[in-house]
Amino acid sequence: DAGVTQSPTHLIKTRGQQVTLRCSPKSGHDTVSWYQQALGQGPQFIFQYYEEEERQRGNFPDRFSGHQFPNYSSELNVNALLLGDSALYLCASSLGQGASYEQYFGPGTRLTVT
Amino acid sequence: QKEVEQNSGPLSVPEGAIASLNCTYSDRGSQSFFWYRQYSGKSPELIMFIYSNGDKEDGRFTAQLNKASQYVSLLIRDSQPSDSATYLCAVNMWDTGNQFYFGTGTSLTVIP
């Protein structure tokens, strides 16, 4: 049973650049959520994709955008990178849009902005 | 006010003891509650979830939920050094569109 996968593992970018992170959900899952986790903090919800549409969004600026493909995989794009965007970016997958569902995390992408 | 609050610790317990981790949350139609374990440099791993008031046991782990007090806890029995990690409490809040809110985590160290 394939778990959640993310790529790349690590990434170093310069301020003002753009970055794309990728996620493949756990086998059988159709919903992908993205989180940003700063050092010493809990994950912060960025947005969630279901049926190729953004269904929910956290308190993040429009510089953060995403996409979900027909095979349920997803991308997170961040434009005009700031130093404060340096964090661990986590993808979590789940099944459906029910009120109670378990999310499983991928290994994360460590983004460093210099 | 933060939606989910945890004592950041660190919490230290001797090997074989019971570790008790606590979490409080704001009431926004909260539906379900999750505990994740996160080792340093790794991603969160789901340990348990609980939906109804009371206790739920899974091996050495017991989750306790009290919706009236807006309180959820995790007990780890017979703590092992491998349990040393940060434990994240997450709450799924219905009236914010099913968003997950995480606490900042409690750091647990089990001393051999």
Side-chain angles (χ1 to χ4, degrees):
Chain A
D1 182 18
V4 182
T5 61
Q6 291 186 245
S7 63
T9 306
H10 295 88
L11 205 51
I12 300 175
K13 290 287 188 177
T14 303
R15 275 181 300 175
Q17 286 188 318
Q18 179 263 344
V19 67
T20 297
L21 310 181
R22 296 176 176 82
C23 170
S24 291
K26 179 180 169 67
S27 178
H29 285 182
D30 57 7
T31 302
V32 173
S33 301
W34 285 94
Y35 293 83
Q36 179 193 67
Q37 186 176 24
L39 201 61
Q41 301 297 315
Q44 298 291 312
F45 176 76
I46 302 175
F47 43 54
Q48 182 184 82
Y49 277 84
Y50 172 70
E51 292 186 336
E52 302 180 49
E53 290 187 11
E54 183 183 296
R55 299 291 179 167
Q56 305 169 45
R57 189 178 184 92
N59 189 25
F60 278 81
D62 291 344
R63 297 187 298 109
F64 290 77
S65 64
H67 189 77
Q68 186 179 35
F69 299 94
N71 67 352
Y72 308 122
S73 67
S74 177
E75 289 183 348
L76 164 65
N77 300 294
V78 186
N79 294 322
L81 284 166
L82 304 174
L83 295 178
D85 295 332
S86 295
L88 179 67
Y89 287 85
L90 296 162
C91 166
S93 75
S94 55
L95 178 61
Q97 288 275 285
S100 301
Y101 53 94
E102 302 94 69
Q103 293 192 344
Y104 296 87
F105 284 91
T109 294
R110 173 75 61 187
L111 173 64
T112 302
V113 182
T114 62
Chain B
Q1 180 183 357
K2 292 185 177 179
E3 287 83 4
V4 181
E5 301 229 23
Q6 295 181 253
N7 186 329
S8 61
L11 173 66
S12 295
V13 299
E15 183 174 355
I18 296 175
S20 178
L21 305 161
N22 305 315
C23 173
T24 57
Y25 60 92
S26 62
D27 185 13
R28 293 188 181 181
S30 301
Q31 291 287 313
S32 47
F33 307 85
F34 303 81
W35 283 100
Y36 287 84
R37 176 175 63 198
Q38 186 172 27
Y39 293 111
S40 180
K42 302 295 185 182
S43 64
E45 173 192 8
L46 180 63
I47 300 175
M48 289 193 69
F49 53 89
I50 185 168
Y51 304 145
S52 304
N53 277 327
D55 295 359
K56 179 182 179 183
E57 186 174 317
D58 183 0
R60 296 187 296 111
F61 299 96
T62 298
Q64 299 175 317
L65 175 61
N66 184 327
K67 289 189 176 183
S69 300
Q70 296 172 215
Y71 177 93
V72 58
S73 65
L74 179 70
L75 301 179
I76 307 174
R77 291 182 299 281
D78 188 24
S79 295
Q80 301 297 310
S82 59
D83 294 327
S84 299
T86 295
Y87 289 80
L88 296 162
C89 171
V91 179
N92 170 228
M93 298 193 182
W94 175 254
D95 63 355
T96 59
N98 265 337
Q99 284 193 31
F100 270 59
Y101 290 88
F102 282 81
T104 55
T106 298
S107 175
L108 171 67
T109 299
V110 180
I111 303 167

Short mmCIF file of all heavy atoms in Angstrom, two decimals, chain A residues 35 37 40-45 56-58 88 90 97-108 110, chain B residues 2 31-32 34 36 38 41-46 49 51 88 92 94 96-100 102-105:
data_model
loop_
_atom_site.label_atom_id
_atom_site.label_comp_id
_atom_site.label_asym_id
_atom_site.label_seq_id
_atom_site.Cartn_x
_atom_site.Cartn_y
_atom_site.Cartn_z
N TYR A 35 0.12 21.85 4.05
CA TYR A 35 0.41 22.54 5.30
C TYR A 35 1.82 23.12 5.25
O TYR A 35 2.71 22.57 4.61
CB TYR A 35 0.33 21.58 6.49
CG TYR A 35 -1.05 21.05 6.79
CD1 TYR A 35 -1.56 19.95 6.09
CD2 TYR A 35 -1.85 21.64 7.75
CE1 TYR A 35 -2.83 19.46 6.36
CE2 TYR A 35 -3.11 21.16 8.04
CZ TYR A 35 -3.59 20.07 7.33
OH TYR A 35 -4.85 19.59 7.60
N GLN A 37 4.84 24.08 7.96
CA GLN A 37 5.24 23.93 9.35
C GLN A 37 6.57 24.65 9.57
O GLN A 37 7.61 24.20 9.09
CB GLN A 37 5.37 22.45 9.75
CG GLN A 37 5.64 22.28 11.23
CD GLN A 37 5.68 20.83 11.68
OE1 GLN A 37 5.94 19.92 10.88
NE2 GLN A 37 5.40 20.58 12.96
N GLY A 40 9.43 24.54 15.24
CA GLY A 40 8.87 24.68 16.58
C GLY A 40 7.39 24.97 16.62
O GLY A 40 6.83 25.21 17.69
N GLN A 41 6.73 24.93 15.47
CA GLN A 41 5.30 25.21 15.39
C GLN A 41 4.54 23.98 14.89
O GLN A 41 5.13 23.06 14.33
CB GLN A 41 5.04 26.39 14.45
CG GLN A 41 5.73 27.67 14.87
CD GLN A 41 5.22 28.18 16.21
OE1 GLN A 41 4.02 28.21 16.46
NE2 GLN A 41 6.14 28.56 17.09
N GLY A 42 3.25 24.00 15.07
CA GLY A 42 2.42 22.97 14.48
C GLY A 42 2.15 23.29 13.02
O GLY A 42 2.33 24.43 12.58
N PRO A 43 1.73 22.32 12.25
CA PRO A 43 1.40 22.58 10.83
C PRO A 43 0.28 23.61 10.70
O PRO A 43 -0.69 23.57 11.47
CB PRO A 43 0.96 21.21 10.32
CG PRO A 43 1.60 20.22 11.25
CD PRO A 43 1.61 20.90 12.58
N GLN A 44 0.43 24.51 9.73
CA GLN A 44 -0.60 25.51 9.43
C GLN A 44 -1.24 25.15 8.09
O GLN A 44 -0.55 24.98 7.08
CB GLN A 44 0.02 26.89 9.36
CG GLN A 44 0.64 27.35 10.68
CD GLN A 44 -0.38 27.63 11.75
OE1 GLN A 44 -1.37 28.31 11.51
NE2 GLN A 44 -0.15 27.09 12.95
N PHE A 45 -2.56 25.10 8.08
CA PHE A 45 -3.31 24.71 6.90
C PHE A 45 -3.19 25.77 5.81
O PHE A 45 -3.46 26.95 6.04
CB PHE A 45 -4.77 24.50 7.29
CG PHE A 45 -5.69 24.18 6.16
CD1 PHE A 45 -5.72 22.92 5.60
CD2 PHE A 45 -6.57 25.13 5.68
CE1 PHE A 45 -6.60 22.61 4.57
CE2 PHE A 45 -7.45 24.85 4.66
CZ PHE A 45 -7.47 23.58 4.10
N GLN A 56 -11.06 24.44 0.34
CA GLN A 56 -10.90 25.25 1.54
C GLN A 56 -9.54 25.93 1.46
O GLN A 56 -8.61 25.42 0.83
CB GLN A 56 -10.93 24.40 2.81
CG GLN A 56 -12.11 23.52 3.00
CD GLN A 56 -11.86 22.55 4.14
OE1 GLN A 56 -11.36 22.91 5.21
NE2 GLN A 56 -12.18 21.30 3.94
N ARG A 57 -9.44 27.07 2.13
CA ARG A 57 -8.17 27.78 2.15
C ARG A 57 -7.93 28.36 3.53
O ARG A 57 -8.86 28.90 4.14
CB ARG A 57 -8.18 28.89 1.10
CG ARG A 57 -6.83 29.54 0.91
CD ARG A 57 -6.87 30.60 -0.18
NE ARG A 57 -5.55 31.15 -0.42
CZ ARG A 57 -4.70 30.67 -1.32
NH1 ARG A 57 -5.05 29.67 -2.10
NH2 ARG A 57 -3.51 31.20 -1.47
N GLY A 58 -6.72 28.25 3.98
CA GLY A 58 -6.32 28.85 5.24
C GLY A 58 -5.90 30.30 5.02
O GLY A 58 -6.10 30.88 3.95
N LEU A 88 8.97 23.60 6.51
CA LEU A 88 8.68 22.25 6.02
C LEU A 88 7.27 22.27 5.44
O LEU A 88 6.32 22.65 6.12
CB LEU A 88 8.76 21.24 7.18
CG LEU A 88 8.47 19.79 6.84
CD1 LEU A 88 9.54 19.21 5.92
CD2 LEU A 88 8.37 18.96 8.13
N LEU A 90 4.20 20.24 4.09
CA LEU A 90 3.64 18.90 4.24
C LEU A 90 2.39 18.73 3.40
O LEU A 90 1.54 19.62 3.34
CB LEU A 90 3.28 18.66 5.71
CG LEU A 90 4.44 18.64 6.70
CD1 LEU A 90 3.94 18.84 8.12
CD2 LEU A 90 5.21 17.33 6.59
N GLN A 97 -14.84 14.00 1.62
CA GLN A 97 -15.04 15.31 2.22
C GLN A 97 -15.94 15.20 3.44
O GLN A 97 -16.62 16.16 3.79
CB GLN A 97 -15.71 16.25 1.21
CG GLN A 97 -14.78 16.68 0.11
CD GLN A 97 -13.95 17.89 0.53
OE1 GLN A 97 -14.44 19.00 0.60
NE2 GLN A 97 -12.68 17.67 0.84
N GLY A 98 -15.93 14.07 4.08
CA GLY A 98 -16.77 13.88 5.25
C GLY A 98 -16.35 14.74 6.41
O GLY A 98 -15.27 15.31 6.43
N ALA A 99 -17.20 14.84 7.38
CA ALA A 99 -16.93 15.69 8.54
C ALA A 99 -15.82 15.13 9.40
O ALA A 99 -15.16 15.87 10.11
CB ALA A 99 -18.20 15.84 9.38
N SER A 100 -15.60 13.84 9.34
CA SER A 100 -14.56 13.22 10.17
C SER A 100 -13.74 12.29 9.29
O SER A 100 -14.25 11.28 8.83
CB SER A 100 -15.20 12.43 11.30
OG SER A 100 -15.99 13.28 12.10
N TYR A 101 -12.51 12.63 9.07
CA TYR A 101 -11.68 11.79 8.22
C TYR A 101 -10.25 11.92 8.67
O TYR A 101 -9.82 12.96 9.16
CB TYR A 101 -11.82 12.20 6.75
CG TYR A 101 -11.58 13.66 6.49
CD1 TYR A 101 -10.33 14.12 6.11
CD2 TYR A 101 -12.60 14.58 6.62
CE1 TYR A 101 -10.10 15.47 5.88
CE2 TYR A 101 -12.38 15.93 6.40
CZ TYR A 101 -11.13 16.36 6.01
OH TYR A 101 -10.91 17.69 5.80
N GLU A 102 -9.50 10.83 8.51
CA GLU A 102 -8.11 10.82 8.94
C GLU A 102 -7.21 11.31 7.82
O GLU A 102 -7.39 10.95 6.66
CB GLU A 102 -7.69 9.40 9.34
CG GLU A 102 -8.53 8.80 10.45
CD GLU A 102 -9.66 7.98 9.90
OE1 GLU A 102 -9.38 6.92 9.33
OE2 GLU A 102 -10.83 8.40 10.05
N GLN A 103 -6.24 12.11 8.18
CA GLN A 103 -5.25 12.59 7.23
C GLN A 103 -3.91 11.92 7.49
O GLN A 103 -3.48 11.81 8.64
CB GLN A 103 -5.09 14.11 7.33
CG GLN A 103 -6.31 14.89 6.89
CD GLN A 103 -6.02 16.37 6.72
OE1 GLN A 103 -5.01 16.88 7.21
NE2 GLN A 103 -6.90 17.07 6.03
N TYR A 104 -3.25 11.53 6.42
CA TYR A 104 -1.93 10.90 6.49
C TYR A 104 -0.94 11.78 5.76
O TYR A 104 -1.18 12.19 4.62
CB TYR A 104 -1.97 9.50 5.89
CG TYR A 104 -2.86 8.56 6.67
CD1 TYR A 104 -4.22 8.48 6.40
CD2 TYR A 104 -2.35 7.78 7.70
CE1 TYR A 104 -5.06 7.65 7.12
CE2 TYR A 104 -3.18 6.94 8.44
CZ TYR A 104 -4.53 6.88 8.13
OH TYR A 104 -5.35 6.06 8.86
N PHE A 105 0.17 12.05 6.44
CA PHE A 105 1.15 12.98 5.91
C PHE A 105 2.24 12.29 5.10
O PHE A 105 2.62 11.15 5.39
CB PHE A 105 1.82 13.74 7.05
CG PHE A 105 0.96 14.82 7.64
CD1 PHE A 105 0.13 14.56 8.71
CD2 PHE A 105 0.98 16.10 7.11
CE1 PHE A 105 -0.67 15.55 9.25
CE2 PHE A 105 0.19 17.10 7.65
CZ PHE A 105 -0.64 16.82 8.71
N GLY A 106 2.74 13.01 4.10
CA GLY A 106 3.94 12.61 3.39
C GLY A 106 5.17 13.03 4.17
O GLY A 106 5.06 13.65 5.24
N PRO A 107 6.35 12.72 3.64
CA PRO A 107 7.60 13.02 4.35
C PRO A 107 7.95 14.50 4.38
O PRO A 107 8.80 14.92 5.18
CB PRO A 107 8.65 12.23 3.57
CG PRO A 107 8.07 12.09 2.21
CD PRO A 107 6.58 11.99 2.40
N GLY A 108 7.30 15.31 3.53
CA GLY A 108 7.54 16.74 3.54
C GLY A 108 8.64 17.18 2.58
O GLY A 108 9.49 16.39 2.16
N ARG A 110 11.50 20.23 2.57
CA ARG A 110 12.13 21.29 3.35
C ARG A 110 12.56 22.39 2.39
O ARG A 110 13.44 22.18 1.55
CB ARG A 110 13.34 20.74 4.10
CG ARG A 110 14.16 21.80 4.82
CD ARG A 110 13.49 22.30 6.05
NE ARG A 110 13.27 21.27 7.05
CZ ARG A 110 12.57 21.46 8.17
NH1 ARG A 110 12.04 22.65 8.43
NH2 ARG A 110 12.41 20.48 9.03
N LYS B 2 -5.97 31.13 20.31
CA LYS B 2 -5.64 30.03 19.44
C LYS B 2 -6.73 28.98 19.50
O LYS B 2 -7.33 28.75 20.53
CB LYS B 2 -4.30 29.41 19.87
CG LYS B 2 -3.10 30.33 19.64
CD LYS B 2 -1.83 29.60 19.96
CE LYS B 2 -0.61 30.48 19.67
NZ LYS B 2 0.65 29.79 20.00
N GLN B 31 -15.50 18.56 15.48
CA GLN B 31 -16.08 17.27 15.15
C GLN B 31 -15.21 16.09 15.55
O GLN B 31 -15.71 15.11 16.06
CB GLN B 31 -16.31 17.20 13.63
CG GLN B 31 -17.41 18.10 13.14
CD GLN B 31 -18.77 17.57 13.54
OE1 GLN B 31 -19.03 16.39 13.37
NE2 GLN B 31 -19.62 18.42 14.06
N SER B 32 -13.93 16.16 15.24
CA SER B 32 -13.06 15.02 15.46
C SER B 32 -11.68 15.48 15.90
O SER B 32 -11.29 16.61 15.63
CB SER B 32 -12.98 14.16 14.19
OG SER B 32 -12.77 14.97 13.06
N PHE B 34 -7.51 14.37 16.77
CA PHE B 34 -6.43 13.50 16.31
C PHE B 34 -5.16 13.76 17.11
O PHE B 34 -4.87 14.89 17.50
CB PHE B 34 -6.13 13.75 14.82
CG PHE B 34 -7.33 13.57 13.93
CD1 PHE B 34 -8.27 14.58 13.79
CD2 PHE B 34 -7.52 12.38 13.25
CE1 PHE B 34 -9.38 14.40 12.98
CE2 PHE B 34 -8.62 12.20 12.44
CZ PHE B 34 -9.56 13.21 12.30
N TYR B 36 -1.04 13.14 16.66
CA TYR B 36 0.05 12.79 15.77
C TYR B 36 1.35 12.79 16.56
O TYR B 36 1.54 13.57 17.48
CB TYR B 36 0.18 13.80 14.62
CG TYR B 36 -0.89 13.71 13.56
CD1 TYR B 36 -2.12 14.33 13.73
CD2 TYR B 36 -0.66 13.00 12.38
CE1 TYR B 36 -3.10 14.24 12.75
CE2 TYR B 36 -1.63 12.92 11.39
CZ TYR B 36 -2.84 13.54 11.58
OH TYR B 36 -3.80 13.45 10.61
N GLN B 38 5.49 13.23 16.03
CA GLN B 38 6.45 13.75 15.07
C GLN B 38 7.86 13.65 15.65
O GLN B 38 8.17 14.32 16.64
CB GLN B 38 6.13 15.20 14.69
CG GLN B 38 7.01 15.74 13.58
CD GLN B 38 6.56 17.10 13.07
OE1 GLN B 38 5.94 17.89 13.78
NE2 GLN B 38 6.85 17.39 11.81
N GLY B 41 12.73 16.24 12.64
CA GLY B 41 13.10 16.21 11.23
C GLY B 41 12.21 15.35 10.36
O GLY B 41 12.47 15.21 9.16
N LYS B 42 11.18 14.75 10.96
CA LYS B 42 10.27 13.89 10.20
C LYS B 42 8.88 14.52 10.13
O LYS B 42 8.61 15.54 10.75
CB LYS B 42 10.19 12.51 10.86
CG LYS B 42 11.52 11.79 10.98
CD LYS B 42 12.09 11.45 9.63
CE LYS B 42 13.37 10.64 9.77
NZ LYS B 42 13.97 10.34 8.43
N SER B 43 8.01 13.88 9.37
CA SER B 43 6.63 14.37 9.24
C SER B 43 5.75 13.74 10.31
O SER B 43 6.11 12.71 10.89
CB SER B 43 6.10 14.06 7.84
OG SER B 43 6.02 12.67 7.65
N PRO B 44 4.60 14.36 10.59
CA PRO B 44 3.70 13.80 11.60
C PRO B 44 3.14 12.44 11.20
O PRO B 44 2.81 12.22 10.03
CB PRO B 44 2.59 14.86 11.69
CG PRO B 44 3.19 16.11 11.14
CD PRO B 44 4.13 15.67 10.09
N GLU B 45 3.01 11.58 12.18
CA GLU B 45 2.48 10.23 12.00
C GLU B 45 1.21 10.10 12.84
O GLU B 45 1.24 10.35 14.04
CB GLU B 45 3.53 9.21 12.44
CG GLU B 45 3.07 7.77 12.47
CD GLU B 45 4.07 6.89 13.20
OE1 GLU B 45 5.02 7.42 13.80
OE2 GLU B 45 3.87 5.66 13.19
N LEU B 46 0.12 9.69 12.22
CA LEU B 46 -1.15 9.56 12.94
C LEU B 46 -1.07 8.41 13.95
O LEU B 46 -0.73 7.29 13.60
CB LEU B 46 -2.28 9.32 11.95
CG LEU B 46 -3.67 9.15 12.53
CD1 LEU B 46 -4.13 10.43 13.24
CD2 LEU B 46 -4.68 8.79 11.43
N PHE B 49 -7.29 8.67 16.65
CA PHE B 49 -8.33 9.66 16.47
C PHE B 49 -9.51 9.27 17.35
O PHE B 49 -9.71 8.09 17.66
CB PHE B 49 -8.75 9.79 15.01
CG PHE B 49 -9.13 8.49 14.36
CD1 PHE B 49 -10.43 8.01 14.41
CD2 PHE B 49 -8.17 7.74 13.70
CE1 PHE B 49 -10.77 6.82 13.80
CE2 PHE B 49 -8.50 6.54 13.09
CZ PHE B 49 -9.81 6.08 13.14
N TYR B 51 -13.75 10.51 18.18
CA TYR B 51 -14.87 11.34 17.75
C TYR B 51 -15.88 11.58 18.87
O TYR B 51 -16.59 12.58 18.87
CB TYR B 51 -15.59 10.70 16.57
CG TYR B 51 -14.73 10.39 15.38
CD1 TYR B 51 -14.96 9.27 14.60
CD2 TYR B 51 -13.67 11.23 15.02
CE1 TYR B 51 -14.16 8.98 13.51
CE2 TYR B 51 -12.88 10.96 13.92
CZ TYR B 51 -13.13 9.82 13.16
OH TYR B 51 -12.34 9.54 12.08
N LEU B 88 1.51 16.09 18.55
CA LEU B 88 0.66 17.15 18.04
C LEU B 88 -0.82 16.77 18.19
O LEU B 88 -1.22 15.67 17.80
CB LEU B 88 0.94 17.40 16.55
CG LEU B 88 2.34 17.91 16.20
CD1 LEU B 88 2.61 17.70 14.72
CD2 LEU B 88 2.47 19.38 16.54
N ASN B 92 -10.48 18.90 14.01
CA ASN B 92 -11.20 19.16 12.78
C ASN B 92 -12.44 19.97 13.14
O ASN B 92 -13.30 19.47 13.88
CB ASN B 92 -11.56 17.83 12.13
CG ASN B 92 -12.52 17.97 10.98
OD1 ASN B 92 -13.51 17.25 10.90
ND2 ASN B 92 -12.24 18.88 10.08
N TRP B 94 -15.78 21.87 12.17
CA TRP B 94 -16.82 21.84 11.15
C TRP B 94 -17.17 23.23 10.63
O TRP B 94 -17.27 23.44 9.44
CB TRP B 94 -18.06 21.16 11.72
CG TRP B 94 -19.23 21.18 10.81
CD1 TRP B 94 -20.34 21.94 10.93
CD2 TRP B 94 -19.39 20.41 9.62
NE1 TRP B 94 -21.20 21.68 9.88
CE2 TRP B 94 -20.65 20.74 9.08
CE3 TRP B 94 -18.59 19.45 8.96
CZ2 TRP B 94 -21.13 20.17 7.91
CZ3 TRP B 94 -19.07 18.88 7.80
CH2 TRP B 94 -20.33 19.24 7.28
N THR B 96 -15.59 25.88 10.27
CA THR B 96 -14.58 26.59 9.48
C THR B 96 -14.29 25.82 8.20
O THR B 96 -13.22 25.93 7.64
CB THR B 96 -13.28 26.81 10.28
OG1 THR B 96 -12.76 25.53 10.67
CG2 THR B 96 -13.53 27.65 11.50
N GLY B 97 -15.28 25.02 7.79
CA GLY B 97 -15.12 24.29 6.54
C GLY B 97 -14.27 23.06 6.66
O GLY B 97 -13.55 22.70 5.74
N ASN B 98 -14.36 22.40 7.79
CA ASN B 98 -13.64 21.14 7.98
C ASN B 98 -12.14 21.32 7.99
O ASN B 98 -11.39 20.41 7.63
CB ASN B 98 -13.99 20.14 6.89
CG ASN B 98 -15.10 19.21 7.33
OD1 ASN B 98 -15.30 19.02 8.52
ND2 ASN B 98 -15.81 18.65 6.39
N GLN B 99 -11.67 22.48 8.39
CA GLN B 99 -10.24 22.68 8.48
C GLN B 99 -9.68 21.95 9.69
O GLN B 99 -10.33 21.80 10.71
CB GLN B 99 -9.91 24.15 8.62
CG GLN B 99 -10.05 24.93 7.33
CD GLN B 99 -9.43 26.29 7.43
OE1 GLN B 99 -8.47 26.50 8.17
NE2 GLN B 99 -9.97 27.23 6.68
N PHE B 100 -8.43 21.52 9.54
CA PHE B 100 -7.68 20.94 10.64
C PHE B 100 -6.86 22.04 11.29
O PHE B 100 -6.15 22.77 10.62
CB PHE B 100 -6.73 19.85 10.13
CG PHE B 100 -7.32 18.48 10.09
CD1 PHE B 100 -8.45 18.23 9.33
CD2 PHE B 100 -6.75 17.45 10.79
CE1 PHE B 100 -9.00 16.96 9.29
CE2 PHE B 100 -7.28 16.16 10.75
CZ PHE B 100 -8.40 15.91 9.99
N PHE B 102 -3.94 22.57 14.22
CA PHE B 102 -2.95 21.86 15.02
C PHE B 102 -2.48 22.73 16.18
O PHE B 102 -2.34 23.94 16.04
CB PHE B 102 -1.72 21.50 14.18
CG PHE B 102 -1.92 20.31 13.28
CD1 PHE B 102 -2.57 20.44 12.07
CD2 PHE B 102 -1.45 19.06 13.66
CE1 PHE B 102 -2.74 19.34 11.23
CE2 PHE B 102 -1.62 17.95 12.84
CZ PHE B 102 -2.27 18.11 11.63
N GLY B 103 -2.18 22.08 17.30
CA GLY B 103 -1.48 22.75 18.37
C GLY B 103 0.00 22.84 18.02
O GLY B 103 0.45 22.31 17.00
N THR B 104 0.76 23.48 18.90
CA THR B 104 2.20 23.63 18.64
C THR B 104 2.98 22.39 19.05
O THR B 104 4.17 22.28 18.74
CB THR B 104 2.76 24.85 19.40
OG1 THR B 104 2.44 24.72 20.78
CG2 THR B 104 2.16 26.14 18.87
N GLY B 105 2.30 21.46 19.74
CA GLY B 105 2.98 20.21 20.08
C GLY B 105 3.58 20.21 21.47
O GLY B 105 3.97 21.25 21.99
#
